[in-house]
Structure formats: C-alpha cells, structure tokens
Amino acid sequence: MSKPQISIGLSNPKSPTNVGAVMRAAGCFQANAVFYTGERYDKAARFHTDTKNRTLSIPLTGTPSLLDSIPEGAKVVCVDLVEGATPLPQFEHPENAFYIFGPEDGTITQEIIDQADAVVYVPTIGCLNLAASVNVLLYDRLAKSEMSIAGDELIRASRDTNNKVKVATSTLENT
C-alpha cells in the first residue's frame, strides 16, 4: 500500500508569518509539498518565519497557476467559506489530495472552485486565518485516517528538548 500524498496550495498568500506556520503544519502532518501563487509572499519572504526549517524537507514552490500544479492522481479540495461547500466534519478526505486555500484577505477564484473535486469549509463563527485553517484541515484528515499514530514514543520524538514533563501515575488512577 502506497503512502497517501498530501499537497497544499496557497492562493496569493500575503503574510510570511502565515506561510511559515503553514510550513510547520505541513511538517507536523507530513504533507509532501506546498505551492503558492502571487508575488506578495516573495516580497516578504526575507522574514524567516519557518521556525522548524521545513523547507529543507518539504518543497515550497512558487507557481503561476495552482491548477497547473496539481500533483498527478490528486483530487483538488478547496478550503474556503464558499456557499454550497461541505462542512469539514462531514467530509471524507481523498487518499491523494491537493488542498487549496484562499488568501487571508480574499477568496479562492471561481475558476479554481469550478475545477475542484470538492469544496469544504471549517464551520466557525467568523473566518480563521490561513495557517489556522491549514492546521485544522490537516488535523481533521489525520483524526479521520487509519494512519493516526499516538503514544509516548510519538510524544518523545515530537516535543521540544526542554519538555520532559510526564503525567503522574496517581493522576491517571484518580480519573
């Protein structure tokens, strides 16, 4: 069985902070690639916001068109507050997906929406920022998958070096 392929498309992101946080989420949730359009991010990219240096292992690629960058075999899933979209809790993620997110101060173009295999939204009051939306979507995918991993081994491998805290056995017995 091959490993599912997860790619992320960012439509004209404006904030290097959000792109850095998207890269961190991509690493945490094992995405394979991140694509972006527009010039705003390139102009602001001198601000180093990828605090875990995920661009060393996950390609961050500028492209003139997200539709021309769809990975082979991937289903296009747009994530935005769009009328008629499916609420994320009701959505079944495809094995191979190219998740496209709109800009922080706009929306995904109608052209891209019309080409999508699915359009979903995170049911919140108000809109989340770009990085928060990516994190929620990728967590939802993980939580619904059979690939979900958990346990102390994962915690030890994932936490920062200055975190050695453990839950006391007596705390667990009292619950």
Side-chain angles (χ1 to χ4, degrees):
M1 183 171 160
S2 64
K3 182 181 175 200
Q5 297 295 304
I6 305 166
S7 297
I8 298 167
L10 308 176
S11 177
N12 197 22
K14 74 172 185 176
S15 165
T17 303
N18 267 334
V19 174
V22 166
M23 291 305 295
R24 186 169 184 163
C28 289
F29 294 105
Q30 301 180 6
N32 301 90
V34 178
F35 299 89
Y36 67 93
T37 61
E39 297 177 8
R40 298 189 301 178
Y41 173 70
D42 286 335
K43 290 178 182 175
R46 68 180 182 272
F47 302 103
H48 182 71
T49 59
D50 178 10
T51 59
K52 295 290 183 180
N53 291 318
R54 298 297 187 186
T55 53
L56 297 177
S57 58
I58 301 169
L60 174 62
T61 307
T63 181
S65 167
L66 291 174
L67 291 175
D68 291 341
S69 300
I70 300 169
E72 185 176 336
K75 298 288 185 185
V76 175
V77 180
C78 291
V79 185
D80 209 344
L81 289 172
V82 176
E83 290 182 33
T86 302
L88 186 57
Q90 296 173 10
F91 181 65
E92 185 176 325
H93 297 267
E95 183 176 2
N96 297 314
F98 185 41
Y99 296 106
I100 297 178
F101 296 82
E104 296 92 324
D105 56 351
T107 191
I108 298 171
T109 66
Q110 188 68 55
E111 176 190 17
I112 293 175
I113 294 290
D114 290 345
Q115 297 293 316
D117 295 291
V119 181
V120 300
Y121 73 98
V122 179
T124 59
I125 305 300
C127 59
L128 297 172
N129 77 9
L130 174 62
S133 296
V134 171
N135 275 280
V136 168
L137 179 283
L138 293 177
Y139 174 77
D140 182 78
R141 180 186 173 94
L142 175 68
K144 291 175 180 174
S145 80
E146 296 175 10
M147 306 278 289
S148 183
I149 53 175
D152 288 346
E153 286 293 320
L154 175 65
I155 293 168
R156 283 191 288 275
S158 299
R159 67 185 173 187
D160 292 328
T161 57
N162 61 352
N163 177 357
K164 302 297 182 204
V165 177
K166 297 179 182 180
V167 176
T169 306
S170 61
T171 303
L172 294 175
E173 292 170 354
N174 293 329
T175 56

